[in-house]
Amino acid sequence: MGLHRLFDVIHKKFFFFLILSYLLAALFPEAGLELRKITLFHWNLLGVREEITFPIFQLFILLFNGGFGVKIRDFITQFSKPLPLILGVFFNFIVPCLFVSLYWLISSLWHNPKERYDLFVGLILIIAMPIAGSTIGWSQNSNANIPLSLGLVFFSTLLSPLLTPMIFHAAKVLGGTYEPGLFGHISHQINSQFLILDIVIPSFLGMFARLISGNGVYEKVIRIIKPLNEINLLVLIYSNAATALPFIIHKPDTDFFLLIGIVVFLLCLIRFHAGQWIGSLFHFGEPTKRSLIYALGMNNNGMGLVLSNAVVGNQPSIILPIILYNLFQQIMAAAFYSSWTKKDNLVGTSTEDSAVTKGKQLAQKFKNYSSVNPP
């Protein structure tokens, strides 16, 4: 099988490969865990020494490729029509906060207070994270508004040192007496320099590379970037899922896992469709709507996993909601992606059919004209 053939199969069957990556993570997590241990190099920037692990490097590549797909001029143009950007950042904050507040009120009926609170902490860690950098890769492959996607990732990340402590403070008030110092401790772990180094800089390096390379190089390279993004996403998903999915198999707790699955799935479903509703309500174009759907539905759960492991240790009851949300958000993203791919292919086919039909009509007219007016 040639390389182009392999890329084509992965592109057309991406949803299948996505599910396969999660199954492999649950049943054979060893390779994923080893990938996460790989340290490629260290760097010192802004006075910060940081390890660049393999997953961080993968995220760097996704963000760089996303930035490479954006002209700086187009990125700046977002500020001339800032409504989608403002709505995306605002509703990415407000919609999940309302959902988690509703969960906390309704879940008072749950028989185990600790399980209820652990799920609450997991949900807070999900919604407190900025928009996932991988949305840029999804947007790039879905013909969405890439400058808007990049702007949403950039500004949600830039505002996270302000918004995340606000969410933790609200959670502390809402959660009452359960471990009152927990969210303050988590908030302390958020490092603005870390966000700048790992999110903002790769995106702008990509845009700068696009600026100096020109459109000719871009047209050639973009054909390779899209399939590489898909493979990169699959490997990143596998290595992230390998950290917690095996717990479901080895230490089952049926009723609690069922509660986690239902609540997390509802949160994911509402967030994705919120992006769709907002896009339709404000009559945004299809590319803008697609970017909003990805942005409102997908959060940087890799960062959430790092924080949860650092602060609460290896507690599956807190980590599992983050893992499951990552699973559901990728499934939802792949479902929308597959739907849009079919739609775009149909539009392309219909355009080609229309061109063929017009060509036949012109040929017939010429034939009729020739029969009436022979040379």
Side-chain angles (χ1 to χ4, degrees), residues 115-349:
E115 289 181 348
R116 176 198 181 207
Y117 187 74
D118 285 350
L119 176 52
F120 176 67
V121 174
L123 292 174
I124 292 296
L125 285 168
I126 291 169
I127 69 172
M129 296 301 104
I131 294 170
S134 60
T135 58
I136 298 171
W138 284 106
S139 296
Q140 192 168 42
N141 290 350
S142 302
N143 300 317
N145 186 336
I146 304 175
L148 175 60
S149 295
L150 188 60
L152 287 166
V153 171
F154 174 77
F155 282 104
S156 70
T157 302
L158 197 66
L159 292 172
S160 61
L162 172 66
L163 296 179
T164 300
M166 290 173 57
I167 294 174
F168 289 156
H169 178 72
K172 181 179 177 181
V173 173
L174 195 63
T177 58
Y178 263 97
E179 300 187 51
L182 178 62
F183 287 109
H185 187 36
I186 297 174
S187 180
H188 182 68
Q189 298 293 321
I190 293 191
N191 188 318
S192 300
Q193 291 174 320
F194 171 81
L195 299 176
I196 292 171
L197 289 173
D198 293 334
I199 304 294
V200 177
I201 287 179
S203 301
F204 277 95
L205 283 177
M207 285 195 288
F208 180 72
R210 170 69 183 275
L211 178 67
I212 63 176
S213 63
N215 289 331
V217 174
Y218 170 77
E219 293 297 334
K220 295 177 181 178
V221 174
I222 195 64
R223 299 172 187 173
I224 303 297
I225 285 178
K226 286 189 176 184
L228 289 180
N229 274 347
E230 291 179 336
I231 295 172
N232 193 18
L233 278 171
L234 290 172
V235 177
L236 187 59
I237 288 165
Y238 165 72
S239 62
N240 279 331
T243 60
L245 280 184
F247 285 112
I248 299 177
I249 298 173
H250 299 302
K251 297 182 180 180
D253 185 350
T254 307
D255 62 336
F256 183 44
F257 287 166
L258 185 61
L259 174 68
I260 293 174
I262 292 173
V263 172
V264 170
F265 176 75
L266 286 176
L267 173 61
C268 186
L269 185 68
I270 289 171
R271 295 183 69 179
F272 268 90
H273 283 285
Q276 193 171 36
W277 296 330
I278 292 165
S280 299
L281 181 64
F282 288 89
H283 305 289
F284 294 138
E286 184 66 18
T288 296
K289 189 186 298 184
R290 292 181 183 185
S291 291
L292 286 172
I293 288 171
Y294 283 137
L296 267 70
M298 305 183 75
N299 275 66
N300 192 336
N301 293 311
M303 192 181 300
L305 281 172
V306 171
L307 287 173
S308 63
N309 277 305
V311 177
V312 299
N314 191 16
Q315 294 189 36
S317 55
I318 293 177
I319 296 173
L320 188 58
I322 304 172
I323 286 292
L324 284 183
Y325 190 89
N326 192 44
L327 166 63
F328 291 142
Q329 78 176 14
Q330 298 295 344
I331 290 176
M332 290 290 292
F336 276 102
Y337 174 58
S338 298
S339 172
W340 292 331
T341 299
K342 291 178 182 177
K343 180 180 177 181
D344 292 344
N345 287 340
L346 285 174
V347 170
T349 302

